[in-house]
Amino acid sequence: MTVLRLPAVLLLAGLLGLVGCTAHKPMPLYQLDAGSPKVPQQAQGLAVLLGPVSIADYLQREAFLQRQNDGSLVAAEDARWAGSLAADIDQVLLRLLASRLDSQRLVLAPSHSGFTPDVQVLLNISRLDSGPHHPAVLEAQWRLLDRSGQLRDSRLLRLEEAHDGSAADQVQAQSRLLRQLVLQLGDAIEPLRNQPVAEASKPATPPARPSKPQQKAPIPLVTPSRSNGEVLRF
C-alpha cells in the first residue's frame, strides 16, 4: 500500500509546487518613457520654472488603473507603477521640456530664492489613463507667466493615443501623450524667449511748484507841492 501511494504523494507535491510558483509570480512594474531626449547644450538658456504641476488625485498612487466601459477605473491585477506616478510625470516633463527648449535652466517648483525665471509654467493634469479597450487620454491646462508675472498664454487641451490593449503598450501610449503635450507647450513658450527686460523704475520727479507772480512795486503817489507862486510841481 505504501508503494502504491508514493506516486500520488509525489504528484500532489508537484502540483502544490506549481501553484506556489504561480502565486509568487513577480508583478511587472512600469514607468513612463521619456524616450531619448537630447541633453540641453545651453547652460545660459531660457530660465523656466515648471510648476506647480497639479496632478489629479486618482493619479497619485502606484496602482495601474484601467478605464472600463462604464467609465469606472479598476486597479490592474497584473501590473503596477514603479513608484509614484505623479513624481514620474514631473521628471518626464522636466527632461522633455529642457530638451525641447535646449536649456539647462529649468527648475521644478518650488524654486529657491536665487532663481528668477523668464517664464513660469502653471500646469494642471486632470486626466491621464487608458484601458484594454479604451485609448490613452490626456486632459490638461497650462498657464504661462512672463518675467513680470503677467499671464501671457492659457490653454486647455485633450489628446488621445491608440494602443494594442496590453499594459506595456498602454504605458507607451501615455508616454507619447506627454511628449505631445511638451511639444505644444514648447511652441507656446518660444514667443516669450525674447521678451523685453523691464527697466528699473526711477523715482518720480515731484512736479515743480508754480512760481508766484512777481508783485510790481507800488507807484508812488505824487503830491502837489505849493510855493509862493502857487505853481504845482509834479
Side-chain angles (χ1 to χ4, degrees):
M1 293 295 295
T2 303
V3 177
L4 293 177
R5 289 179 180 177
L6 184 58
V9 173
L10 293 176
L11 179 60
L12 180 59
L15 291 174
L16 291 176
L18 290 175
V19 172
C21 292
T22 304
H24 291 86
K25 183 179 179 180
M27 179 182 295
L29 303 179
Y30 293 98
Q31 282 185 306
L32 293 169
D33 184 10
S36 301
K38 295 182 179 179
V39 177
Q41 300 300 316
Q42 296 189 44
Q44 298 298 321
L46 193 67
V48 178
L49 177 61
L50 179 57
V53 179
S54 176
I55 309 294
D57 290 342
Y58 80 95
L59 296 175
Q60 300 184 28
R61 61 187 67 202
E62 297 179 7
F64 188 75
L65 299 178
Q66 297 286 271
R67 180 73 63 174
Q68 305 299 306
N69 293 332
D70 61 358
S72 62
L73 293 166
V74 177
E77 298 180 354
D78 58 349
R80 194 177 64 183
W81 292 109
S84 168
L85 177 59
D88 201 11
I89 291 174
D90 285 348
Q91 292 301 319
V92 168
L93 291 175
L94 183 69
R95 292 182 62 83
L96 289 173
L97 191 58
S99 177
R100 170 66 180 80
L101 299 174
D102 190 22
S103 174
Q104 293 276 3
R105 301 174 66 199
L106 267 78
V107 175
L108 274 172
S111 66
H112 55 81
S113 58
F115 183 76
T116 303
D118 299 316
V119 181
Q120 182 175 3
V121 181
L122 306 176
L123 181 62
N124 176 38
I125 296 179
S126 57
R127 179 177 175 182
L128 180 61
D129 58 61
S130 55
H133 306 292
H134 292 269
V137 175
L138 169 65
E139 295 179 352
Q141 179 191 26
W142 75 62
R143 289 179 294 159
L144 303 183
L145 307 182
D146 61 14
R147 289 191 185 101
S148 61
Q150 298 298 314
L151 179 65
R152 298 293 296 272
D153 186 81
S154 179
R155 193 175 308 177
L156 284 166
L157 75 162
R158 186 180 192 276
L159 304 172
E160 290 189 10
E161 187 74 17
H163 56 79
D164 63 12
S166 65
D169 206 49
Q170 289 183 54
V171 173
Q172 289 299 318
Q174 294 183 27
S175 301
R176 291 193 295 271
L177 289 178
L178 290 177
R179 295 176 209 168
Q180 293 179 39
L181 169 64
V182 169
L183 286 176
Q184 296 191 30
L185 184 56
D187 292 341
I189 292 175
E190 281 296 339
L192 302 180
R193 184 182 291 274
N194 299 318
Q195 58 183 303
V197 179
E199 295 182 358
S201 58
K202 298 179 180 179
T205 304
R209 295 182 178 179
S211 59
K212 295 182 179 180
Q214 295 181 354
Q215 296 181 353
K216 297 181 179 180
I219 300 175
L221 296 175
V222 178
T223 57
S225 61
R226 294 180 179 272
S227 64
N228 294 333
E230 295 294 326
V231 179
L232 299 178
R233 298 178 182 273
F234 293 89

